[in-house]
Amino acid sequence: MALTTFVGILALCQLGVAHYSKFPEGFTFGVATASHQIEGAWNVSGKSENVWDRLSHTRPEMIADGTNGDIACDSYNRYREDVEELSYLGVDFYRFSLSWSRLLPTGRVDHINPDGVRYYHDLLDALAEKNIEPLVTLFHWDLPQTLQDLGGWANPKMIDYFRDYSDLCFKEFGGKIKSWITFNEPYEICEDAYGDLKKAPAIDSHGVGCYLCSDTLLKAHAESYHLYNETYRPTQNGRIMISINSIWYEPSDPANVEQVTLAEVANQFKFGWFAHPIFTEQGGYPAVMIENVAQQSLAEGLPKSRLEQFDDYWTQRIKGTSDFLGINHYTTHLITGPGVDPLAKSPSWLKDIGAVTTMEVGGDSASEWLRVVPTGFANLLRWCKSSYNDPPIYITENGFSDLGTLEDYGRIKYFNDYLTEILNVIYEDGVKVLGYTAWTLMDNFEWRAGFSERFGFYHVDITDPARPRTPKLSVEYYRQLTATRELPQDDRFKDPAVRLCSPPPPMSNLLLKPSI
């Protein structure tokens, strides 16, 4: 994207002013979960071990509170209660993921687990009874350990394994599912799991494994898409997409040309890494990413770049393989200048960017990385419209963490302010946002944070074997939103200490009009 366009997007920032309150006709609302985070039943009914089972059992010190997903929210046994909660919320759709190791214990199609197949059919039937559409993710981070033992996403053979797994899911469940997501947050899969220790399987192959993973993952996504498009879409009449996550990067000083340029580089490295190969006319990785990694690799004495480019076949094969752009977004960080980020290893994806970042922006949440910056969300959406030829967009995750209070005014304000920005870009900028998915239905196993950070509409007491769910105040907020299709103005949703619609904290000088 041209630098002048990026600067123009920054100049459009507003302080979350609610110019609009009503959502367009046809706009849909949903809630999301993921199999490993809620199901439990980790080793019963034929399910095999996945990479998160292995990590939490063998390296429990890596989980903040020492918990694991063995029981989680016990949704394997309590899915009907989950569906009742969804029905009460009044959502149009429920985004959940299938557990690969529950369906295929070996990871391959040589053994299909009938109990796993039955479980998901039962869940789909329960949703149908309540007229709730399923939005189903094929892979949400819980790779069967048997496939990880073969190298996981760094192994090109995973392209075939994922295609076979997709084929089973389309064939078995496609009559009940009209909306599919291939991968959830490929950045987290590749950089945080194969380039760092932040996610399972925690392979710290920084600057190498992350790029091997992205090569395999994008090809696997494309094969799954083409399989559905050519074999199943003609009879099942569904749609299929990928869900890409991104922190949005902005310059700490928008009058600083170098920071503005580096912010665009960072966004290309984070979001463009997976969006550019699919959603642009050129295809392949972003040019600045190819150039930066090649230069760094040369400086490291390597004979070729650590980032291998796609050949012509794969460039064409990957292009256009998503019916919609799925976006997971939570927060914004700032670029403070050029150089090597203090957290960057050598070599690494972060060092390849060549910028220093900070999280000193916006309001707080219970997660260190999650700063509340609603205007950053609007800027990301404008940037996607400009960068990717005005695609239809689904927000497939967006949410707020706290420590578990039932009067969760912070979560309500977060939803209200971020939804306000969605309305602003729909009506003022013509961004084609078609639906919104809140994260998450209930407090669940938040990966390496365990249960120490709570994102749910429903509080889950993990000290009680029955895993009781208790609705928070945000349940009533979202229920009113889905019923009226309008931002709720009810006084009961306003924090007694802080008015709901007050502007967010100042963002340094982010909102100054650039001078270039």
Side-chain angles (χ1 to χ4, degrees):
M1 184 177 76
L3 180 60
T4 53
T5 305
F6 184 80
V7 172
I9 287 171
L10 292 179
L12 289 170
C13 287
Q14 297 184 38
L15 282 171
V17 179
H19 297 300
Y20 313 95
S21 61
K22 191 76 174 176
F23 285 84
E25 188 73 25
F27 192 95
T28 57
F29 292 95
V31 174
T33 63
S35 55
H36 186 76
Q37 294 182 267
I38 66 168
E39 285 180 4
W42 80 276
N43 63 347
V44 300
S45 301
K47 179 186 171 296
S48 67
E49 182 185 36
N50 66 42
V51 292
W52 278 96
D53 296 322
R54 175 68 62 89
L55 182 73
S56 61
H57 293 157
T58 62
R59 305 174 72 179
E61 73 280 359
M62 293 187 69
I63 310 301
D65 59 0
T67 58
N68 55 48
D70 291 5
I71 302 173
C73 303
D74 197 27
S75 287
Y76 185 74
N77 296 303
R78 304 184 61 168
Y79 69 91
R80 290 193 176 278
E81 186 174 343
D82 296 347
V83 173
E84 289 297 328
E85 293 162 0
L86 292 163
S87 180
Y88 184 81
L89 283 167
V91 296
D92 302 298
F93 64 90
Y94 175 41
R95 182 189 167 201
F96 66 96
S97 70
L98 303 175
S99 167
W100 192 337
S101 58
R102 192 178 298 285
L103 291 168
L104 298 175
T106 67
R108 305 181 306 275
V109 290
D110 56 351
H111 174 53
I112 300 170
N113 178 23
D115 283 342
V117 172
R118 172 199 53 77
Y119 170 68
Y120 291 116
H121 272 301
D122 288 347
L123 173 57
L124 290 165
D125 290 344
L127 291 170
E129 290 172 6
K130 299 293 186 179
N131 295 313
I132 300 171
E133 290 288 329
L135 171 58
V136 176
T137 307
L138 289 167
F139 184 74
H140 199 129
W141 305 359
D142 49 350
L143 188 68
Q145 185 62 41
T146 53
L147 298 184
Q148 184 56 47
D149 292 341
L150 299 176
W153 293 108
N155 180 359
K157 184 63 180 176
M158 283 295 299
I159 300 167
D160 295 332
Y161 291 146
F162 185 72
R163 186 186 187 281
D164 291 345
Y165 165 60
S166 300
D167 192 26
L168 166 69
C169 296
F170 297 151
K171 186 183 305 178
E172 185 65 47
F173 307 115
K176 300 176 180 179
I177 298 169
K178 301 305 178 187
S179 299
W180 297 91
I181 294 171
T182 54
F183 289 95
N184 177 75
E185 300 188 350
Y187 167 87
E188 303 292 332
I189 299 167
C190 292
E191 168 56 16
D192 281 0
Y194 289 83
D196 209 330
L197 300 172
K198 296 177 182 177
K199 302 285 192 305
I203 306 296
D204 194 15
S205 180
H206 44 85
V208 179
C210 55
Y211 297 137
L212 294 176
C213 170
S214 66
D215 185 82
T216 303
L217 186 147
L218 281 162
K219 292 173 180 176
H221 159 78
E223 290 305 296
S224 179
Y225 176 90
H226 287 297
L227 171 66
Y228 186 80
N229 192 50
E230 296 162 12
T231 304
Y232 294 98
R233 196 196 300 266
T235 56
Q236 295 180 1
N237 300 311
R239 53 191 183 173
I240 183 168
M241 60 181 167
I242 192 168
S243 201
I244 301 174
N245 69 303
S246 190
I247 289 168
W248 170 248
Y249 293 100
E250 294 191 352
S252 59
D253 177 7
N256 184 310
V257 177
E258 189 172 42
Q259 288 184 13
V260 172
T261 301
L262 287 170
E264 171 66 10
V265 172
N267 287 318
Q268 290 291 349
F269 261 80
K270 188 75 173 254
F271 198 91
W273 186 3
F274 296 96
H276 195 278
I278 297 172
F279 293 97
T280 66
E281 291 296 323
Q282 310 97 299
Y285 293 120
V288 69
M289 191 173 189
I290 294 170
E291 180 182 354
N292 279 22
V293 181
Q295 289 179 351
Q296 287 287 341
S297 299
L298 181 65
E300 293 154 11
L302 295 173
K304 60 183 294 187
S305 177
R306 288 177 277 105
L307 177 65
E308 185 171 346
Q309 296 184 50
F310 299 111
D311 61 22
D312 289 342
Y313 172 82
W314 279 111
T315 297
Q316 297 302 318
R317 186 74 170 163
I318 294 168
K319 278 170 52 177
T321 54
S322 193
D323 298 330
F324 303 90
L325 174 55
I327 297 177
N328 290 6
H329 175 76
Y330 291 84
T331 192
T332 293
H333 293 172
L334 302 183
I335 300 293
T336 60
V340 179
D341 193 283
L343 298 177
K345 300 174 183 178
S346 185
S348 66
W349 171 88
L350 187 56
K351 184 179 180 182
D352 289 335
I353 296 175
V356 180
T357 64
T358 179
M359 291 181 281
E360 295 302 316
V361 58
D364 294 328
S365 71
S367 305
E368 181 183 8
W369 56 270
L370 202 171
R371 311 296 295 182
V372 181
V373 190
T375 53
F377 193 18
N379 288 334
L380 171 62
L381 292 170
R382 295 185 186 107
W383 183 81
C384 286
K385 173 185 171 69
S386 175
S387 299
Y388 304 118
N389 195 31
D390 195 15
I393 293 170
Y394 276 89
I395 307 306
T396 42
E397 277 185 34
N398 180 238
F400 176 85
S401 63
D402 58 26
L403 299 177
T405 178
L406 296 180
E407 294 184 339
D408 54 343
Y409 296 110
R411 177 168 294 104
I412 292 171
K413 182 172 178 7
Y414 180 97
F415 283 139
N416 201 79
D417 287 350
Y418 276 64
L419 286 164
T420 291
E421 293 299 342
I422 290 176
L423 285 171
N424 287 342
V425 299
I426 288 174
Y427 289 118
E428 296 181 359
D429 302 284
V431 181
K432 298 173 185 173
V433 184
L434 306 179
Y436 176 85
T437 317
W439 182 268
T440 176
L441 177 61
M442 58 196 143
D443 295 338
N444 57 39
F445 179 72
E446 281 295 335
W447 311 112
R448 286 194 56 197
F451 283 86
S452 67
E453 298 171 8
R454 303 295 185 109
F455 280 83
F457 282 111
Y458 287 83
H459 176 272
V460 177
D461 183 356
I462 64 166
T463 66
D464 187 332
R467 294 299 194 270
R469 285 89 152 121
T470 304
K472 304 176 187 177
L473 184 59
S474 57
V475 167
E476 296 305 319
Y477 172 87
Y478 208 64
R479 174 178 164 87
Q480 185 171 319
L481 172 70
T482 62
T484 64
R485 308 283 148 165
E486 190 169 3
L487 293 177
Q489 301 299 318
D490 196 318
D491 283 346
R492 62 184 164 150
F493 302 132
K494 298 179 181 180
D495 189 325
V498 181
R499 288 187 60 81
L500 181 64
C501 294
S502 62
M507 294 166 50
S508 181
N509 57 353
L510 250 183
L511 304 178
L512 297 177
K513 185 175 181 179
S515 59
I516 58 173

